[in-house]
Amino acid sequence: MTVASAPLLRFITAGSVDDGKSTLIGRLLYDSKTLLTDQIDKLNRATENGETPDFASLTDGLAAEREQGITIDVAYRYFATPKRKFIIADTPGHEQYTRNMVTGASTADAAIVLIDATRVDFSGSEPVLLPQTKRHSAILKLLGCPNVIVAVNKLDLLDFDETKYQAITAAYRKLAEQIGLQAQIHFLPISALKGDNIVNASSQTPWYQGLP
């Protein structure tokens, strides 16, 4: 199968500000080798110098467009693998633009809901998810999005703690039940920055057996 004849999948990234949407998109573009040579060289130089590559910088153009009012609703990125073509709809994370997420979600085959594991409140009897996670999930329910991947991000900052990951997934399952989210829901422990479980299985999560 050629890339030209590969099926197309449209998906969105959703979640709160700083949950890691831009870093995830940048990592996907990098790992799928759909970047310009100078962009790849810049990231590789950072790695060679012992620095952390700034994958989020690859979506700076999206932020600039939003600031100029060009794509305030949603911005798009395209990439492809030999088996499938993808269109990513990058939706705003700011609360005041919640309604604009509908633009991207209305035509999406799937949604990646990012949760920053370091910003989940573990002080009570059960984890408390951020309000924007709940809002975006409710929108996905209303629009009938058929597939949702809940990517629990920044687990590297929690030493890939399985207990906290399982607590977060339990909290999201409870949320999904409360709002009546009927999508096929899958959970994924990731570090978008480090690349754990983005393209390849991570040795940091031996307890994770992959999507069913």
Side-chain angles (χ1 to χ4, degrees), residues 4-207:
S5 62
L8 173 66
L9 181 100
R10 297 174 181 269
F11 71 94
I12 69 166
T13 55
S16 189
V17 177
D18 295 329
D19 277 352
K21 296 188 296 297
S22 294
T23 299
L24 175 62
I25 293 173
R27 168 63 77 169
L28 284 171
L29 295 174
Y30 177 76
D31 286 352
S32 62
K33 298 178 174 59
T34 55
L35 297 172
L36 298 175
T37 301
D38 60 335
Q39 293 174 312
I40 295 175
D41 290 343
K42 179 181 178 181
L43 294 173
N44 288 340
R45 282 196 301 271
T47 301
E48 292 169 359
N49 294 332
E51 303 170 358
T52 301
D54 186 8
F55 292 105
S57 67
L58 299 173
T59 61
D60 282 348
L62 306 187
E65 287 175 349
R66 286 208 183 98
E67 290 171 1
Q68 296 168 20
I70 299 173
T71 53
I72 194 70
D73 288 332
V74 64
Y76 297 91
R77 277 293 186 266
Y78 168 88
F79 73 101
T81 68
K83 293 183 178 180
R84 188 180 290 273
K85 295 180 291 187
F86 299 88
I87 295 178
I88 309 171
D90 180 40
T91 60
H94 292 279
E95 181 179 349
Q96 61 265 40
Y97 297 140
T98 299
R99 66 187 184 279
N100 297 335
M101 178 204 165
V102 175
T103 302
S106 62
T107 59
D109 302 305
I112 299 177
V113 178
L114 277 89
I115 296 177
D116 181 345
T118 68
R119 298 169 70 198
V120 174
D121 183 0
F122 289 98
S123 61
S125 58
E126 59 185 38
V128 178
L129 303 176
L130 292 177
Q132 197 69 335
T133 301
K134 300 176 182 179
R135 292 189 188 97
H136 280 190
S137 298
I139 291 173
L140 294 174
K141 182 266 179 183
L142 291 172
L143 293 176
C145 183
N147 300 283
V148 173
I149 296 176
V150 180
V152 182
N153 192 24
K154 304 186 185 180
L155 277 178
D156 55 306
L157 300 179
L158 297 180
D159 297 322
F160 293 94
D161 189 318
E162 181 184 4
T163 300
K164 288 187 176 178
Y165 168 75
Q166 296 293 353
I168 292 171
T169 61
Y172 193 89
R173 287 191 182 95
K174 183 176 180 179
L175 169 65
E177 182 178 354
Q178 289 173 339
I179 65 176
L181 181 59
Q182 298 297 315
Q184 290 290 324
I185 303 175
H186 303 283
F187 297 93
L188 187 62
I190 71 167
S191 168
L193 183 62
K194 303 294 186 181
D196 293 279
N197 293 325
I198 303 300
V199 172
N200 300 307
S202 172
S203 61
Q204 301 291 336
T205 55
W207 41 264

